[in-house]
Amino acid sequence: MNKYIFRKQDKLIKFYLHRECRLLFYTQFACMSNVIIATLCRNFLAAIDMAHQVLVLAPEELLEKDRRFFYMAYHSLIFLDYYLSDPVRDFHPKLSYTIHHADVLPAEAVDDVLPDRIYTKDELLTFLRETRGKCETQFRQMTGEKLLERWITDNEVDMHGLCPPLVSHYSRLEILLYNLRHLQHHTGQLNLLLRLKANVAADWVSQSPCL
Protein backbone atom coordinates (compact mmCIF):
# COMPACT_ATOMS: atom_id res chain seq x y z
CA MET A 1 0.00 0.00 0.00
CA ASN A 2 2.77 2.41 0.96
CA LYS A 3 4.66 1.59 -2.23
CA TYR A 4 1.52 2.35 -4.23
CA ILE A 5 1.10 5.71 -2.49
CA PHE A 6 4.74 6.59 -3.08
CA ARG A 7 4.48 5.71 -6.78
CA LYS A 8 1.35 7.80 -7.09
CA GLN A 9 2.99 10.73 -5.32
CA ASP A 10 6.06 10.35 -7.54
CA LYS A 11 3.89 10.55 -10.65
CA LEU A 12 2.13 13.62 -9.32
CA ILE A 13 5.44 15.31 -8.54
CA LYS A 14 6.75 14.52 -12.03
CA PHE A 15 3.52 15.80 -13.58
CA TYR A 16 3.70 19.12 -11.76
CA LEU A 17 7.41 19.45 -12.46
CA HIS A 18 6.80 18.83 -16.16
CA ARG A 19 3.93 21.30 -16.14
CA GLU A 20 6.06 23.95 -14.44
CA CYS A 21 8.88 23.30 -16.90
CA ARG A 22 6.47 23.68 -19.81
CA LEU A 23 5.08 26.91 -18.39
CA LEU A 24 8.59 28.23 -17.84
CA PHE A 25 9.59 27.26 -21.38
CA TYR A 26 6.56 28.96 -22.94
CA THR A 27 7.08 32.07 -20.82
CA GLN A 28 10.75 32.28 -21.81
CA PHE A 29 9.88 31.53 -25.44
CA ALA A 30 7.29 34.33 -25.48
CA CYS A 31 9.76 36.82 -23.96
CA MET A 32 12.52 35.82 -26.37
CA SER A 33 10.11 35.98 -29.31
CA ASN A 34 9.12 39.53 -28.38
CA VAL A 35 12.78 40.55 -28.28
CA ILE A 36 13.47 38.93 -31.67
CA ILE A 37 10.38 40.51 -33.26
CA ALA A 38 11.19 44.00 -31.92
CA THR A 39 14.84 43.73 -33.00
CA LEU A 40 13.91 42.55 -36.47
CA CYS A 41 11.32 45.28 -36.81
CA ARG A 42 13.73 48.11 -35.91
CA ASN A 43 16.36 46.86 -38.34
CA PHE A 44 13.94 46.06 -41.15
CA LEU A 45 12.35 49.50 -41.01
CA ALA A 46 15.84 51.03 -40.95
CA ALA A 47 16.71 49.18 -44.16
CA ILE A 48 13.50 50.44 -45.78
CA ASP A 49 14.20 53.99 -44.60
CA MET A 50 17.67 53.85 -46.12
CA ALA A 51 16.20 52.66 -49.44
CA HIS A 52 13.75 55.56 -49.18
CA GLN A 53 16.65 57.99 -48.73
CA VAL A 54 18.31 56.67 -51.88
CA LEU A 55 15.16 57.21 -53.94
CA VAL A 56 14.58 60.67 -52.48
CA LEU A 57 18.13 61.69 -53.42
CA ALA A 58 18.03 60.15 -56.89
CA PRO A 59 17.55 62.83 -59.57
CA GLU A 60 14.51 62.38 -61.81
CA GLU A 61 16.80 62.29 -64.82
CA LEU A 62 18.79 59.38 -63.39
CA LEU A 63 15.66 57.30 -62.88
CA GLU A 64 14.32 58.18 -66.33
CA LYS A 65 17.49 57.66 -68.37
CA ASP A 66 19.65 55.18 -66.45
CA ARG A 67 17.85 51.90 -67.01
CA ARG A 68 20.20 49.91 -64.79
CA PHE A 69 19.48 52.17 -61.83
CA PHE A 70 15.73 52.11 -62.48
CA TYR A 71 15.51 48.34 -62.97
CA MET A 72 17.49 47.72 -59.79
CA ALA A 73 15.28 50.09 -57.82
CA TYR A 74 12.14 48.42 -59.14
CA HIS A 75 13.55 44.94 -58.49
CA SER A 76 14.29 45.90 -54.88
CA LEU A 77 10.80 47.26 -54.26
CA ILE A 78 8.77 44.55 -55.99
CA PHE A 79 10.48 41.74 -54.09
CA LEU A 80 10.31 43.68 -50.82
CA ASP A 81 6.55 43.89 -51.29
CA TYR A 82 6.22 40.27 -52.41
CA TYR A 83 8.15 38.74 -49.51
CA LEU A 84 6.13 40.86 -47.05
CA SER A 85 2.80 39.67 -48.45
CA ASP A 86 0.99 37.55 -45.89
CA PRO A 87 -0.85 35.62 -47.18
CA VAL A 88 1.07 35.56 -50.46
CA ARG A 89 -2.15 35.18 -52.47
CA ASP A 90 -2.99 38.79 -51.51
CA PHE A 91 0.06 40.14 -53.36
CA HIS A 92 -1.29 42.66 -55.88
CA PRO A 93 1.40 45.27 -56.58
CA LYS A 94 0.28 48.65 -57.85
CA LEU A 95 3.40 48.90 -60.00
CA SER A 96 2.74 45.91 -62.23
CA TYR A 97 5.34 43.69 -63.89
CA THR A 98 5.69 41.06 -66.59
CA ILE A 99 8.06 38.10 -66.57
CA HIS A 100 10.05 37.98 -69.82
CA HIS A 101 12.05 35.26 -71.51
CA ALA A 102 15.82 35.59 -71.14
CA ASP A 103 16.24 36.07 -74.91
CA VAL A 104 14.38 39.38 -74.92
CA LEU A 105 15.70 40.95 -71.74
CA PRO A 106 17.46 44.31 -72.05
CA ALA A 107 21.13 44.35 -71.12
CA GLU A 108 20.42 46.55 -68.08
CA ALA A 109 17.85 44.15 -66.57
CA VAL A 110 18.51 42.70 -63.11
CA ASP A 111 16.38 39.62 -63.75
CA ASP A 112 13.41 38.48 -65.85
CA VAL A 113 10.90 40.53 -63.80
CA LEU A 114 10.45 43.78 -65.69
CA PRO A 115 8.12 46.68 -64.89
CA ASP A 116 5.33 47.22 -67.40
CA ARG A 117 6.52 50.77 -67.92
CA ILE A 118 9.03 53.25 -66.52
CA TYR A 119 7.43 54.43 -63.29
CA THR A 120 8.01 57.92 -61.97
CA LYS A 121 10.01 58.76 -58.88
CA ASP A 122 6.82 59.71 -57.04
CA GLU A 123 5.24 56.36 -57.95
CA LEU A 124 8.26 54.45 -56.64
CA LEU A 125 8.31 56.45 -53.41
CA THR A 126 4.58 55.98 -52.85
CA PHE A 127 4.96 52.25 -53.47
CA LEU A 128 7.81 52.06 -50.95
CA ARG A 129 5.88 54.00 -48.31
CA GLU A 130 2.89 51.68 -48.70
CA THR A 131 5.16 48.64 -48.44
CA ARG A 132 6.69 50.08 -45.28
CA GLY A 133 3.18 50.26 -43.85
CA LYS A 134 2.68 46.61 -44.77
CA CYS A 135 5.92 45.78 -42.96
CA GLU A 136 4.80 47.62 -39.82
CA THR A 137 1.46 45.82 -39.87
CA GLN A 138 3.11 42.42 -40.23
CA PHE A 139 5.40 43.04 -37.25
CA ARG A 140 2.54 44.42 -35.19
CA GLN A 141 0.62 41.17 -35.72
CA MET A 142 3.63 38.84 -35.41
CA THR A 143 3.93 36.22 -32.70
CA GLY A 144 6.57 33.67 -31.81
CA GLU A 145 4.40 30.91 -33.24
CA LYS A 146 3.90 32.75 -36.52
CA LEU A 147 7.65 33.29 -36.89
CA LEU A 148 8.15 29.53 -37.02
CA GLU A 149 5.38 28.85 -39.56
CA ARG A 150 6.04 28.47 -43.28
CA TRP A 151 5.63 31.82 -45.04
CA ILE A 152 4.07 30.46 -48.26
CA THR A 153 1.75 27.55 -49.09
CA ASP A 154 2.25 25.01 -51.87
CA ASN A 155 -0.66 26.56 -53.80
CA GLU A 156 0.96 30.02 -53.65
CA VAL A 157 4.48 29.10 -54.77
CA ASP A 158 3.78 29.42 -58.53
CA MET A 159 0.99 31.98 -58.23
CA HIS A 160 3.01 35.11 -59.12
CA GLY A 161 6.16 33.73 -60.72
CA LEU A 162 8.39 35.37 -58.12
CA CYS A 163 9.17 32.62 -55.61
CA PRO A 164 12.67 31.11 -56.01
CA PRO A 165 12.78 27.38 -55.12
CA LEU A 166 15.41 28.20 -52.49
CA VAL A 167 12.98 30.12 -50.28
CA SER A 168 9.76 28.15 -50.87
CA HIS A 169 10.12 26.24 -47.58
CA TYR A 170 11.41 29.11 -45.43
CA SER A 171 9.71 30.03 -42.19
CA ARG A 172 8.45 33.57 -41.68
CA LEU A 173 11.53 34.28 -39.58
CA GLU A 174 13.89 33.20 -42.34
CA ILE A 175 12.02 35.00 -45.15
CA LEU A 176 12.11 38.21 -43.08
CA LEU A 177 15.89 37.90 -42.69
CA TYR A 178 16.29 36.98 -46.36
CA ASN A 179 14.12 39.92 -47.43
CA LEU A 180 16.03 42.36 -45.22
CA ARG A 181 19.40 41.16 -46.60
CA HIS A 182 18.12 41.33 -50.17
CA LEU A 183 16.89 44.90 -49.74
CA GLN A 184 20.07 46.07 -48.02
CA HIS A 185 22.21 44.44 -50.72
CA HIS A 186 20.51 46.32 -53.54
CA THR A 187 20.26 49.54 -51.53
CA GLY A 188 24.04 49.45 -51.20
CA GLN A 189 24.40 48.99 -54.95
CA LEU A 190 22.00 51.84 -55.67
CA ASN A 191 23.80 54.07 -53.18
CA LEU A 192 27.10 53.43 -54.94
CA LEU A 193 25.57 54.24 -58.34
CA LEU A 194 24.07 57.37 -56.84
CA ARG A 195 27.47 58.48 -55.59
CA LEU A 196 29.16 57.74 -58.92
CA LYS A 197 26.54 59.33 -61.15
CA ALA A 198 25.05 62.13 -59.05
CA ASN A 199 27.74 62.73 -56.41
CA VAL A 200 25.27 62.23 -53.54
CA ALA A 201 24.62 59.28 -51.24
CA ALA A 202 22.24 58.22 -48.51
CA ASP A 203 23.42 58.18 -44.91
CA TRP A 204 23.48 55.02 -42.83
CA VAL A 205 20.30 54.43 -40.82
CA SER A 206 21.17 52.51 -37.64
CA GLN A 207 17.61 51.66 -36.65
CA SER A 208 14.07 52.99 -36.88
CA PRO A 209 11.39 53.07 -34.17
CA CYS A 210 9.13 50.05 -34.24
CA LEU A 211 5.49 50.35 -33.23
Side-chain angles (χ1 to χ4, degrees), residues 33-48 80 83-84 86 131-144 146-147 172-180 208-211:
S33 297
N34 291 337
V35 171
I36 291 171
I37 291 167
T39 302
L40 265 174
C41 182
R42 288 192 296 270
N43 283 275
F44 210 125
L45 293 179
I48 293 176
L80 173 67
Y83 291 137
L84 283 171
D86 188 7
T131 305
R132 190 187 194 281
K134 178 188 285 190
C135 183
E136 288 181 307
T137 298
Q138 184 170 138
F139 276 109
R140 196 179 298 118
Q141 298 172 350
M142 190 61 68
T143 64
K146 284 184 177 181
L147 277 180
R172 284 193 179 90
L173 173 59
E174 193 158 9
I175 200 65
L176 283 168
L177 289 169
Y178 181 89
N179 196 6
L180 190 158
S208 296
C210 186
L211 299 178

Side-chain angles (χ1 to χ4, degrees), residues 42-74:
R42 288 192 296 270
N43 283 275
F44 210 125
L45 293 179
I48 293 176
D49 290 344
M50 193 165 177
H52 182 267
Q53 271 195 53
V54 170
L55 287 178
V56 168
L57 290 171
E60 294 272 5
E61 186 178 8
L62 181 64
L63 283 163
E64 292 171 2
K65 295 183 178 180
D66 191 315
R67 287 292 181 266
R68 182 67 177 175
F69 188 92
F70 173 77
Y71 285 144
M72 190 177 295
Y74 180 80

Side-chain angles (χ1 to χ4, degrees), residues 100-111:
H100 294 263
H101 192 273
D103 293 342
V104 298
L105 291 176
E108 303 89 349
V110 177
D111 58 6

